[in-house]
């Protein structure tokens, strides 16, 4: 069955008329009628019921119509993407990042673009390692950052750097302390689905204690804002504190130390362009020299 046949059927249903559909498609009505009849013969069931006055769609015809609309839409989107490949000799690099890595990633993307002026990029935030792995396996993205190793046979997970967690406090609190225990402090933490929250939960499990969580948030930026309002203290990566708008706030080393490793992840099955490999190398070189 051809896409054209599906488009003909969709037009008949939308117009609720063979005559109107034929006019819209710029074909003869007998030709359109014959096409729909052949589709029904091939399928082995009726799509439309015809009378001398009007037409109606059968129950199976409704299901077929819904699938046909989806297939035609996907077809046209695919064709459009194929033409995009012809227009661009350097398809955009798709990279998944974490909120706390946005600053240094932007520096490296700028450097990479200076070396590859024709290159385009798409930057996404993917916080769930499982979702990140699926995106890499499905070739939806080229590379992705995670704050835990991804253990999958089709993923290469390369450690980039270690990042301490710190306690974010107002500037006038704990000014003279270099380290601090967070065992009993009111904490602002990420929601359950985030990997940082898992790190915090594991940390307290190791201490055989329960965290005093007073608020759960989506992003570090929101946590910082609530710290400013005196709602509690936030546990955040040091890289975020050093890179973003955390003025009027102080970061104190947590005791005992709490740390994570940032990984850059690639698909084993993908043939990467030199431009993508250059970006991966930039990320590795940036952290190796620090």
């Amino acid at each position: 069955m051809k896409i054209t046949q599906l488009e003909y059927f969709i037009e008949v249903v939308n117009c609720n008329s063979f005559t109107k559909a034929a006019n819209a498609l710029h074909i003869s009505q007998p030709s359109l009628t014959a096409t729909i009849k052949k589709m029904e013969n091939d399928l082995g069931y009726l799509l439309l019921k015809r009378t001398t006055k009007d037409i109606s769609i059968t129950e199976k015809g409704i299901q077929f119509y819904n699938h046909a609309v989806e297939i035609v839409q996907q077809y046209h989107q695919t064709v459009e993407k194929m033409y995009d490949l012809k227009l661009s000799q350097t398809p955009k690099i798709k990279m998944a990042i974490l909120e706390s890595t946005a600053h240094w990633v932007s520096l490296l993307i700028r450097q990479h673009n200076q070396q590859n002026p024709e290159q385009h990029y798409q930057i996404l935030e993917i916080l769930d390692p499982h979702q990140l792995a699926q995106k890499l396996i499905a070739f939806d993205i080229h590379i992705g950052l995670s704050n835990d190793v991804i253990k999958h046979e089709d993923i290469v997970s390369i450690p980039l750097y270690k990042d301490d967690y710190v306690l974010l406090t107002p500037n006038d609190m704990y000014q003279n302390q270099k380290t601090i225990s967070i065992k009993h402090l009111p904490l602002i933490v990420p929601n359950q689905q985030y990997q940082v929250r898992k790190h915090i939960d594991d940390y307290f499990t190791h201490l055989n204690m329960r965290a005093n969580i007073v608020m759960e948030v989506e992003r570090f930026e929101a946590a910082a804002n609530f710290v400013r309002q005196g709602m509690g203290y936030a546990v955040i990566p040091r890289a975020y504190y050093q890179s973003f708008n955390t003025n009027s706030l102080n970061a104190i080393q947590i005791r005992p130390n709490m740390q994570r490793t940032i990984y850059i992840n690639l698909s084993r099955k993908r043939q990467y362009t030199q431009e993508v490999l250059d970006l991966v190398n930039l990320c590795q070189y940036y952290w190796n020299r620090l």
Side-chain angles (χ1 to χ4, degrees), residues 175-290:
Q175 289 181 343
N176 298 321
Q177 289 191 225
K178 293 184 177 180
T179 65
I180 191 170
S181 169
I182 62 172
K183 292 179 181 179
H184 304 290
L185 294 177
L187 300 179
I188 300 169
V189 299
N191 289 328
Q192 285 283 356
Q193 69 266 31
Y194 297 124
Q195 199 69 9
V196 171
R197 174 61 178 275
K198 180 179 181 300
H199 293 169
I200 295 171
D201 290 344
D202 289 347
Y203 179 81
F204 276 92
T205 299
H206 182 72
L207 294 177
N208 198 26
M209 294 190 66
R210 185 170 181 173
N212 179 20
I213 297 172
V214 296
M215 185 176 294
E216 297 171 291
V217 295
E218 290 285 331
R219 298 176 63 85
F220 294 132
E221 181 182 4
N225 287 333
F226 284 115
V227 172
R228 289 190 183 94
Q229 298 303 318
M231 300 293 294
Y233 307 100
V235 176
I236 66 168
R238 184 177 293 278
Y240 180 85
Y241 175 78
Q242 292 171 337
S243 304
F244 289 86
N245 180 21
T246 49
N247 60 330
S248 76
L249 298 174
N250 188 29
I252 305 175
Q253 185 75 32
I254 294 172
R255 183 183 70 248
N257 189 38
M258 183 178 175
Q259 195 177 67
R260 66 177 183 171
T261 301
I262 300 299
Y263 294 82
I264 188 166
N265 303 278
L266 304 91
S267 168
R268 290 188 188 276
K269 295 184 176 181
R270 187 165 192 157
Q271 182 65 46
Y272 284 101
T273 65
Q274 189 58 52
E275 288 81 4
V276 175
L277 295 177
D278 287 345
L279 181 55
V280 173
N281 290 334
L282 269 179
C283 293
Q284 291 180 286
Y285 176 73
Y286 178 81
W287 287 105
N288 284 339
R289 68 194 175 103
L290 293 182

Side-chain angles (χ1 to χ4, degrees), residues 38 74 95 104 200 280:
K38 184 178 185 308
Q74 289 178 348
M95 181 178 184
W104 67 261
I200 295 171
V280 173

